[in-house]
Amino acid sequence: MMINGGNRHTETPLGVLCLDTRFAKPRGHLRNPRTFDYPVVYDVLEGVDIPRLLQAPGDDLCQLLIDRARRLEADGVKVVAGSCGFMARYQREVAQAVSIPVVLSSLTLLPWVSVLIGEGGIGVLTADDHALGHPHLEGVGWHRPATRTRIKGLQHGREFSEVILRGERDAIDVEAMTAEIRQATLELVEERDLAAVVLECTDLSAFAPVVREASGLPVFDIVQAIDLAVAAQGG
């Protein structure tokens, strides 16, 4: 029996394009390999952090994501994912550049979730609702945001802002983070009749049970989207 080689990564279903961050990644976060039941490789985009992604998007960043996705594919991974939901603006370009599934953002779930829930609204919890805009929604093929989507950001939460958005420290106060996420969820669901919640921010996946309990709604995140893509590849 012959076992073919030629790839840097053997039997590795998932490669993740990662922002250059060092804050804690609890289990449930896609940057924690124990979140998944299959092998994962992480490709860190050195020098590209959250402020860089939010404040200075452009063609150079898109090309970097394309180049790294192509490299992961050549190295043998079966699915490419992104570590920040705001990569959604580049979803179409990166997916077109490789021949394997690409899931840069949980926002790719929006069209699918809308079919699942019928005419109900979709709530989106995001890192910053001022930063999440039309280019991100258009990038994932979501064309009805005004009538179907209610967006709530966590940028005003002290813990979330200090750790996630500004990178002022790496340790997370889990109780404080949980309280901020619960409060944002309650504010999200009280303003409009919703049928589901999508967590744009990958850092929220570890807190999905908090959102589910506070909202009483189905909650979708990046980990579920990745698992679906990997399963489709037989991973």
Side-chain angles (χ1 to χ4, degrees):
M1 180 179 69
M2 300 293 292
I3 300 177
N4 292 327
N7 294 321
R8 181 171 295 169
H9 307 301
T10 301
E11 295 187 24
T12 304
L14 177 63
V16 183
L17 300 172
C18 304
L19 296 184
D20 196 354
T21 62
R22 297 182 180 273
F23 54 80
K25 312 295 195 300
R27 189 180 295 192
H29 196 293
L30 86 169
R31 289 284 299 274
N32 186 327
R34 297 183 70 187
T35 294
F36 300 100
D37 295 327
Y38 42 80
V40 185
V41 295
Y42 295 101
D43 187 357
V44 177
L45 309 174
E46 294 83 359
V48 182
D49 57 10
I50 292 175
R52 164 74 175 86
L53 180 64
L54 295 187
Q55 297 171 11
D59 293 341
D60 59 334
L61 189 51
C62 182
Q63 190 59 51
L64 175 61
L65 292 171
I66 288 173
D67 292 344
R68 293 296 186 91
R70 285 173 170 166
R71 187 171 74 180
L72 284 171
E73 180 182 22
D75 286 344
V77 306
K78 303 302 181 185
V79 173
V80 171
S83 75
C84 179
F86 287 105
M87 292 182 183
R89 67 187 303 144
Y90 307 114
Q91 170 68 33
R92 184 174 288 111
E93 290 86 351
V94 177
Q96 290 174 347
V98 297
S99 59
I100 57 177
V102 173
V103 187
L104 291 188
S105 173
S106 62
L107 296 178
T108 56
L109 293 170
L110 283 171
W112 181 65
V113 171
S114 72
V115 173
L116 297 185
I117 63 174
E119 294 303 315
I122 302 173
V124 176
L125 274 182
T126 180
D128 187 334
D129 52 30
H130 297 303
L132 180 60
H134 180 74
H136 306 97
L137 300 173
E138 180 70 20
V140 299
W142 183 240
H143 306 295
R144 294 186 291 170
T147 58
R148 296 295 304 278
T149 314
R150 160 72 180 160
I151 299 173
K152 177 68 180 178
L154 283 146
Q155 70 269 23
H156 301 299
R158 178 177 179 180
E159 185 70 15
F160 188 89
S161 181
E162 289 181 356
V163 177
I164 307 300
L165 292 179
R166 299 200 299 271
E168 295 176 358
R169 51 190 166 84
D170 297 329
I172 294 176
D173 183 329
V174 175
E175 288 74 20
M177 187 73 79
T178 296
E180 290 178 6
I181 292 170
R182 178 178 290 111
Q183 181 60 35
T185 302
L186 292 174
E187 293 174 6
L188 174 71
V189 299
E190 74 180 2
E191 296 188 24
R192 179 175 295 182
D193 290 334
L194 302 177
V197 176
V198 172
L199 306 180
E200 170 277 320
C201 181
T202 57
D203 303 303
L204 297 178
S205 294
F207 297 90
V210 175
V211 179
R212 192 171 293 112
E213 183 274 331
S215 67
L217 298 172
V219 175
F220 300 85
D221 64 18
I222 186 65
V223 174
Q224 295 164 327
I226 291 170
D227 283 342
L228 182 62
V230 169
Q233 290 286 77

